Amino acid sequence: MDAFRVKKPMVKSSLARLIQMDEQFYKIEGMEGRAVSGSPKFKKTGLHLGATLLKNYGFKEGEEFRISVTEAGKIVLEKI
């Protein structure tokens, strides 16, 4: 993707089309590791941190963490 400057959504879209046409499953190495999904979302109810985002930063299911905000406005997650 980097060499051809192709974005992940374009690859996923093309892959889905290929799977539908060939009726076979294809796996592209490196697609899981490059997951962008899980970006933090600000909602009326507060900050939503998805499981994918937390997994990408080394958190595992069941772990506890503390959220704090620095004076510069950065959000910091600390494992407890």
Side-chain angles (χ1 to χ4, degrees), residues 14-58:
S14 298
L15 181 62
R17 219 175 302 134
L18 180 63
I19 290 171
Q20 187 177 22
M21 288 173 25
D22 289 351
E23 296 179 356
Q24 293 184 15
F25 178 76
Y26 296 92
K27 181 177 179 182
I28 299 177
E29 287 186 33
M31 285 291 284
E32 308 86 29
R34 297 179 56 109
V36 178
S37 173
S39 299
K41 294 176 180 61
F42 296 99
K43 299 181 178 185
K44 289 181 182 178
T45 56
L47 176 65
H48 175 76
L49 303 172
T52 304
L53 174 84
L54 294 172
K55 182 179 176 185
N56 288 342
Y57 283 98

Side-chain angles (χ1 to χ4, degrees), residues 51-69:
T52 304
L53 174 84
L54 294 172
K55 182 179 176 185
N56 288 342
Y57 283 98
F59 290 95
K60 296 177 184 159
E61 189 173 334
E63 289 185 328
E64 294 183 17
F65 58 91
R66 180 178 323 166
I67 298 176
S68 59
V69 180

